[in-house]
Amino acid sequence: MSARATTALTAVLVLAIGLPIVFARKSWRSEVVATTVDAQDFDQLWLDLEALQQAKLNGADFERRFVARTAKYLQLGDAAVLVGAVDLALGDLEQARSRMERALALSNGTAVPTTEVRRKAWGRWQEEQRAASDRLLAALQTTPRHGLLAEKRLLWLLRLDYSKRGQRKAR
């Protein structure tokens, strides 16, 4: 096989393997750059969400206020799409958590899971958390404010989930 044929074959293989991975990734890019006001409002959103975490609210009320405050920041007229996406994402997180806990509990019949079992369970859990946060993309538009939240969607979702679970346990 000539050098040219080998190079062409290598290029085809790289494209065949790499393109599906590139297109399978969920990405979100805003076509418009956020203004200083958008960024300041985003910072204020995080402060408001932190204040909500300190409030003594039940899980459902906490979630409702958390999502409503976010919808206000996003300037959504109707938050129903966001609420639906959040419900699906939280459900995915709960299922992922259950799978991880089962994987660790059933680790080859041993009392303490091996390092390899823990590593695999943790890696899968992280992938499933990212996939759950991608559900929020369906509710977001291509505006600067939505772009700022899209970039932090996993952190936002985990903050909601852990805080909501903490609020439930505190009661």
Side-chain angles (χ1 to χ4, degrees), residues 86-162:
V86 168
D87 287 344
L88 291 173
L90 288 173
D92 288 352
L93 283 181
E94 184 61 37
Q95 291 173 4
R97 185 180 301 103
S98 294
R99 276 190 292 276
M100 184 193 64
E101 289 170 352
R102 278 194 310 273
L104 293 178
L106 301 175
S107 60
N108 302 329
T110 61
V112 177
T114 64
T115 302
E116 184 63 24
V117 169
R118 282 187 299 225
R119 186 177 296 128
K120 284 181 181 178
W122 180 255
R124 182 175 178 194
W125 189 38
Q126 287 178 317
E127 289 172 18
E128 290 176 336
Q129 286 176 329
R130 282 189 290 278
S133 75
D134 286 347
R135 286 202 180 261
L136 298 176
L137 294 175
L140 299 177
Q141 303 161 5
T142 55
T143 68
R145 287 173 177 254
H146 290 237
L148 290 170
L149 183 62
E151 291 175 8
K152 301 286 187 190
R153 67 187 178 274
L154 178 57
L155 180 59
W156 181 90
L157 183 63
L158 292 175
R159 188 176 212 181
L160 169 60
D161 181 50
Y162 288 123

Side-chain angles (χ1 to χ4, degrees), residues 57-84:
L57 304 170
N58 67 36
D61 194 34
F62 173 78
E63 179 182 347
R64 183 184 58 73
R65 288 184 185 196
F66 195 95
V67 174
R69 176 59 185 97
T70 303
K72 181 180 175 186
Y73 162 76
L74 293 172
Q75 300 173 334
L76 293 175
D78 182 17
V81 174
L82 181 60
V83 170

